[in-house]
Amino acid sequence: MNVRLLVGAAALLGLAACGTPTTGTATPTPVAQAEDTPVAAAVQVPAGQKLVGEYRATGVQTYSCTGNAWKGLEPAATLVDKNDKPIIIHSRGPVWISAVDGSAVEAAPVDGAKNDVKGAVPELLLKTKTVRGEGLFGKVSYVQRLATEGGVAPTGGCKAGAQTSVPYKALYTFYAPAN
């Protein structure tokens, strides 16, 4: 399956579910139960940050075969609000794009800020590299990937150039400076 096609289709589905963007203040509804999610010390957000959104993700982690081993290529996921309304597309970068207002955030893992989860991709703390727009992601400084399920690379060898996508779920939280 072409991952770019999957991401494009997910983006269209997200936009269709959200309707046509209009001027004004479209405010997505964060996931309500997320505050109950335990957070490992290794992936805690630094002091001076405030939570600006929590969204559940469902998608795939795609891997490509390099040197007879599976290497991470890109994620492709749709994030939903507490009403299961798709409002964010997550893809290579990693980047998150709001289907509500077009804002985006690109982030990179913080060195050493990882919590291994048995049978799942690790929980991560990521720091913002760039943002686009003034909307949902306009001031985001940190992203957490929490409560991960699945998405682990296959074990064993592989044929050079092969690709595979493994289903995963996660909770993504977004933080901005408190001041």
Side-chain angles (χ1 to χ4, degrees), residues 81-134:
D81 67 10
K82 73 176 185 179
N83 298 316
D84 288 330
K85 182 178 179 181
I87 62 164
I88 300 166
I89 301 303
H90 175 38
S91 62
R92 185 184 299 198
V95 66
W96 294 263
I97 303 167
S98 169
V100 174
D101 60 28
S103 64
V105 61
E106 180 181 11
V110 173
D111 286 340
K114 176 175 117 174
N115 181 47
D116 289 327
V117 177
K118 185 176 181 176
V121 292
E123 295 179 327
L124 298 173
L125 176 64
L126 303 104
K127 184 166 178 44
T128 296
K129 290 171 47 177
T130 61
V131 294
R132 176 184 75 206
E134 297 294 321

Side-chain angles (χ1 to χ4, degrees), residues 14-71:
L15 288 173
C18 293
T20 304
T22 59
T23 56
T25 56
T27 305
T29 310
V31 174
Q33 71 275 18
E35 291 179 2
D36 297 335
T37 302
V39 178
V43 295
Q44 291 284 337
V45 174
Q49 305 293 311
K50 67 178 178 179
L51 181 67
V52 294
E54 303 171 308
Y55 305 95
R56 297 262 174 216
T58 303
V60 295
Q61 293 286 332
T62 299
Y63 298 90
S64 64
C65 183
T66 306
N68 199 34
W70 293 107
K71 305 281 187 202

